[in-house]
Amino acid sequence: MSSSHLPTVDGTDRLCVSERAQFVPSRVLHLRQLPTEVTEQEVLALALPFGRVSKLITLRAKNQAFLEMASEEAAVTMVNYYTSATPTVRNQPVFIQYSTHRELKTDNLTNQRTHGALHAISSAAVHSGNMASGGEERAFVPAQSPVLRIIVENLFYPVTLEVLQQIFSKFGSVLKIITFTRNNQFQALLQFSDTVHAQHAKAALDGQNIYNNCCTLRIDFSKLSALNVKYNNDKSRDFTRADLPTGELEPTAAFGKTAHRPAPTHATTDMAPPAVHSVLLVSNLNPEVRGHTCPEAGLADLLCVVVVFAGVYGDVQRVKILFNKKENALVQMSDATQAQLAMSHLNGQRLHGNVIRVTLSKHPVVQLPRGAAGQEEQALTRDYAGSALHRFKKPGSKNFNNIFPPSATLHLSNIPSSVTEDVLKDLFSSGGFTVKAFKFFQKDRKMALMQLASVDEAIEALVTLHDRQLDHNQHLRVSFSKSTI
């Protein structure tokens, strides 16, 4: 369709803002469910890590916006990334899809001013990231490293490893953190699972304050391509290796005054206070979920979903669905490292149609119901110590080295020799999942990769089919893979 046939976009109702989800790539992206008071800078922060933005139109009355990227490639990269990591603005999930429009056309004075301001902001951001020869702007080229170097200036309150993890995990899976003091400044190296995550975090957080008027973040890309963490303690943490020793802990350095911390600023408005215990609060679950049954003790439905989903990243010891808020659950992991790992990977994922939130709980343990508790309350709590579903109970288990963020590709293991490719495909297809590709491991047919239609489908399939009995004594093991087929 030529531009002459496109509707004019001038911030009025002449633009159809109820367009259905599109699967045909376009440079124009449609953002929905934005906060009412969203700013242009906040919308741009979602897009600039992926490339230059040509045009921006915000429809605040409808909580929507339209972005035109400089290239279709940048738009595709952005949509693909946010398909697996739901973006948030002011703690509110935002939905991004391709628009039916091939370009945005602005023809009134108001939008010309908006376009001018956007061009200045976008060009400045791109200019700081990269310049083509001859001084011409080119699309933002991702840095090679997923490692960020962080300096905290004006350090009035303590900043711990847990604080950094909670702030930065909003932008992607945090794998490792090392904290240290250099030149009398508190600094940290933080490794994401993907370079795009690091780009997004830097674009959104550089120059922000952790607390009101203090603890300012200064963020650059590190020259390191990966971090080597030897110990899990209050100075360093590898969230993919719960088996690392603690090492000899040195006395904690005094980072500024140890005064009572105020409420965090907008950079971290939903950040929970740092904690060293192992209990998570999982909220916005779908309490109406049905049809998922664990093999142990008749545990069914929502309890089972929570146990299996969180169990990908650690061994769940206890689960309690809150009596008066059944969309919330307390989940006790084996240790604080597993709790941090689960929070890093699961926060913001979609489960049974709901985007879930995972934060550290203020409770040090999940209490089991006492004898006088009602029948319903007892049914909402389960002790899972010693469960056969535990993946990490063996010290030094290889499972510690194969922990990855949710992805559309699943790793299947413990497959009996009698089970064929067609049997496995039928197992997933009969559960309503779309199998895009399948491949046995060449050297070990007990393992295979299966690619489904989306990350959301893969999550549902894992929850549904992990530990499914395949023959009289072998159960299917399902986890997320970093590979593609």
Side-chain angles (χ1 to χ4, degrees):
M1 177 165 28
S2 66
S3 60
S4 61
H5 295 126
L6 287 170
T8 299
V9 181
D10 61 3
T12 69
D13 288 339
R14 279 186 284 174
L15 175 65
C16 176
V17 294
S18 60
E19 39 182 308
R20 54 188 173 82
Q22 297 297 315
F23 299 98
V24 178
S26 167
R27 287 189 304 161
V28 180
L29 300 178
H30 182 197
L31 287 69
R32 297 182 291 112
Q33 296 191 14
L34 291 164
T36 303
E37 303 300 323
V38 68
T39 65
E40 292 179 353
Q41 288 81 0
E42 287 173 315
V43 177
L44 280 173
L46 297 174
L48 287 179
F50 305 92
R52 187 165 62 87
V53 179
S54 300
K55 298 176 183 177
L56 167 65
I57 293 173
T58 56
L59 305 178
R60 290 187 178 87
K62 298 181 180 293
N63 305 104
Q64 302 187 26
F66 287 82
L67 280 167
E68 182 179 322
M69 303 299 290
S71 69
E72 186 175 294
E73 180 182 4
V76 170
T77 302
M78 180 173 168
V79 170
N80 288 344
Y81 171 70
Y82 286 130
T83 297
S84 60
T86 303
T88 59
V89 175
R90 302 191 184 190
N91 307 318
Q92 181 172 318
V94 176
F95 297 93
I96 301 177
Q97 65 191 39
Y98 297 119
S99 172
T100 53
H101 301 291
R102 310 309 297 175
E103 66 176 4
L104 295 180
K105 185 176 181 181
T106 56
D107 60 358
N108 64 11
L109 184 60
T110 299
N111 278 308
Q112 288 175 12
R113 290 197 300 266
T114 299
H115 176 64
L118 181 149
H119 181 73
I121 297 169
S122 180
S123 297
V126 174
H127 179 82
S128 66
N130 211 335
M131 289 292 292
S133 59
E136 295 180 359
E137 295 177 7
R138 66 181 180 182
F140 187 82
V141 178
Q144 296 301 308
S145 174
V147 179
L148 296 177
R149 181 173 66 91
I150 303 161
I151 298 175
V152 183
E153 297 179 348
N154 192 20
L155 190 66
F156 188 77
Y157 299 101
V159 175
T160 65
L161 183 148
E162 287 80 13
V163 169
L164 293 174
Q165 196 275 341
Q166 290 184 64
I167 294 172
F168 283 83
S169 64
K170 299 174 186 176
F171 301 92
S173 298
V174 175
L175 302 184
K176 304 173 184 178
I177 303 177
I178 298 174
T179 63
F180 54 94
T181 301
R182 179 174 294 170
N183 299 327
N184 293 321
Q185 286 184 313
F186 175 73
Q187 301 188 28
L189 294 170
L190 184 147
Q191 180 181 342
F192 279 99
S193 61
D194 189 275
T195 301
V196 176
H197 299 167
Q199 300 237 355
H200 191 191
K202 181 181 184 302
L205 295 178
D206 187 26
Q208 297 288 338
N209 294 329
I210 298 177
Y211 301 105
N212 286 323
N213 302 316
C214 68
C215 300
T216 305
L217 295 169
R218 302 298 180 193
I219 306 171
D220 287 303
F221 291 104
S222 171
K223 295 180 180 178
L224 299 173
S225 60
L227 299 180
N228 181 21
V229 175
K230 297 181 179 179
Y231 304 109
N232 283 337
N233 52 43
D234 64 346
K235 300 292 186 184
S236 63
R237 189 74 54 82
D238 185 337
F239 295 103
T240 70
R241 293 284 307 279
D243 59 325
L244 289 180
T246 58
E248 292 294 326
L249 297 180
E250 298 178 358
T252 303
F255 299 133
K257 300 179 182 180
T258 57
H260 174 69
R261 279 187 298 269
T265 66
H266 64 278
T268 58
T269 48
D270 64 341
M271 186 185 71
V276 295
H277 49 73
S278 57
V279 179
L280 299 171
L281 173 62
V282 184
S283 55
N284 201 36
L285 291 163
N286 183 350
E288 301 302 321
V289 61
R290 293 291 182 269
H292 296 78
T293 303
C294 291
E296 300 185 13
L299 180 61
D301 301 331
L302 188 56
L303 274 170
C304 175
V305 168
V306 173
V307 169
V308 177
F309 194 33
V312 177
Y313 301 105
D315 292 338
V316 177
Q317 300 300 311
R318 294 177 180 177
V319 179
K320 182 182 185 69
I321 307 297
L322 300 191
F323 184 77
N324 293 322
K325 293 184 178 180
K326 292 186 173 60
E327 68 277 10
N328 296 347
L330 295 175
V331 181
Q332 183 176 334
M333 309 299 289
S334 290
D335 55 45
T337 299
Q338 292 185 8
Q340 292 279 351
L341 184 62
M343 180 174 66
S344 173
H345 287 302
L346 300 182
N347 183 42
Q349 296 294 338
R350 189 179 300 278
L351 181 61
H352 297 304
N354 289 9
V355 176
I356 64 170
R357 294 286 297 155
V358 183
T359 59
L360 291 173
S361 169
K362 63 182 180 180
H363 299 284
V365 296
V366 173
Q367 297 287 351
L368 294 176
R370 299 181 179 179
Q375 184 176 357
E376 182 178 2
E377 184 176 353
Q378 291 190 6
L380 293 174
T381 308
R382 187 73 58 164
D383 189 344
Y384 253 63
S387 168
L389 291 173
H390 287 177
R391 300 171 186 248
F392 309 99
K393 54 188 174 184
K394 294 181 181 179
S397 169
K398 292 182 180 179
N399 290 337
F400 285 115
N401 299 323
N402 294 289
I403 298 175
F404 304 107
S407 66
T409 304
L410 295 174
H411 179 274
L412 312 181
S413 60
N414 204 37
I415 302 171
S417 57
S418 60
V419 174
T420 65
E421 175 179 339
D422 288 339
V423 170
L424 290 170
K425 285 183 175 179
D426 289 343
L427 176 64
F428 280 76
S429 298
S430 63
F433 307 113
T434 304
V435 178
K436 293 290 188 179
F438 179 91
K439 181 176 70 174
F440 273 114
F441 280 51
Q442 286 186 346
K443 296 182 179 180
D444 187 356
R445 287 182 62 86
K446 293 181 181 179
M447 296 188 292
L449 295 178
M450 179 174 287
Q451 185 174 333
L452 301 183
S454 66
V455 175
D456 291 355
E457 267 203 21
I459 290 174
E460 299 283 348
L462 182 145
V463 170
T464 305
L465 296 175
H466 174 66
D467 206 48
R468 176 66 61 91
Q469 186 171 347
L470 295 179
D471 65 13
H472 63 283
N473 61 357
Q474 285 184 270
H475 292 250
L476 182 65
R477 298 286 182 248
V478 185
S479 57
F480 298 112
S481 173
K482 66 176 180 180
S483 305
T484 56
I485 304 175

